Amino acid sequence: MRVPLIAIALLACAALAACSKKDETTGLPEPLTEAEKVALIASLPEPYHSADLANGASKFNGICKSCHSLARGGKNLTGPNLFGIFGRKAGTKAKFSYSEAVEHAGFAWDAEHLQGWLAGPRTFLKGTKMSFSGLKNEKDRNDLIVYLMSETGYRTPGMASPPAP
Ligand code: HEC
């Protein structure tokens, strides 16, 4: 049986349309539900296990929010959107123009790299254009890092799946 040409043409169009729909959120995980945030924290080792999310949120809102959005598909501001930052290679958010220092950092972000970065961005990656002097208090950094995990779609392998609603 011959496949009618028109069917092939339609399929090709459908495939193209799917490609052109590709947007900023393609390939990004879903944001965590409230139950998943609880499961995330439960699965983390210390010091993150006892993190205070409310303090992390207040640090983010007070210091970082003017330059960074966290939402899935959120805009780049003075700094890049941070959704999906854990496991993402430094300096690779689309449509953001990084300094050479960050673009060539050569690592993927995890809690350990964020500790160094947030304590003193300009000593951690010399030449960065992130003008922030650093968060010196270790407890604040821990809380902020867990808040970032919980808001940017990060899931640990050890996270128990949340009970069905
Ligand atoms: C004054 C604006 C500003 C503030 C405040 C700021 N950032 Fe940034 N941030 C930037 C800029 C600009 C970059 C890109 C740096 C570069 O390319 O050198 C950046 C980069 C980053 C990156 C690396 C992103 C990537 O895609 O590799 C992370 C993570 C980050 N910031 C987290 C934070 C957190 C958390 C805070 C709050 C403690 C914060 N930033 C505060 C402007 C800011």
Side-chain angles (χ1 to χ4, degrees):
M1 195 183 101
R2 277 176 48 213
V3 181
L5 261 183
I6 181 78
I8 296 172
L10 279 175
L11 276 175
C13 290
L16 276 177
C19 292
S20 67
K21 261 194 211 142
K22 202 170 152 198
D23 63 12
E24 293 283 289
T25 58
T26 304
L28 290 178
E30 291 296 320
L32 267 65
T33 61
E34 291 306 311
E36 281 181 310
K37 289 179 190 177
V38 174
L40 167 76
I41 298 176
S43 75
L44 293 171
E46 288 298 355
Y48 303 112
H49 185 71
S50 46
D52 174 356
L53 272 194
N55 182 46
S58 101
K59 292 292 166 279
F60 183 84
N61 291 332
I63 310 169
C64 326
K65 199 181 175 179
S66 56
C67 292
H68 290 285
S69 66
L70 289 180
R72 188 174 186 267
K75 282 199 170 72
N76 293 330
L77 306 173
T78 305
N81 167 261
L82 296 177
F83 193 89
I85 188 73
F86 288 86
R88 183 165 91 200
K89 212 174 158 222
T92 55
K93 175 72 177 64
K95 295 185 193 149
F96 186 82
S97 163
Y98 291 92
S99 65
E100 296 222 337
V102 172
E103 199 176 327
H104 299 149
F107 58 74
W109 288 110
D110 56 15
E112 208 184 319
H113 285 98
L114 281 167
Q115 285 288 356
W117 174 249
L118 297 177
R122 284 175 289 197
T123 42
F124 188 73
L125 286 177
K126 265 191 189 55
T128 177
K129 60 179 182 179
M130 172 155 132
S131 43
F132 168 59
S133 59
L135 189 56
K136 302 302 172 199
N137 182 292
E138 193 183 334
K139 170 82 178 126
D140 286 345
R141 283 201 307 275
N142 297 342
D143 294 348
L144 175 57
I145 287 170
V146 177
Y147 177 70
L148 286 176
M149 288 176 175
S150 75
E151 293 298 314
T152 61
Y154 178 67
R155 288 170 176 83
T156 60
M159 241 167 92
S161 28

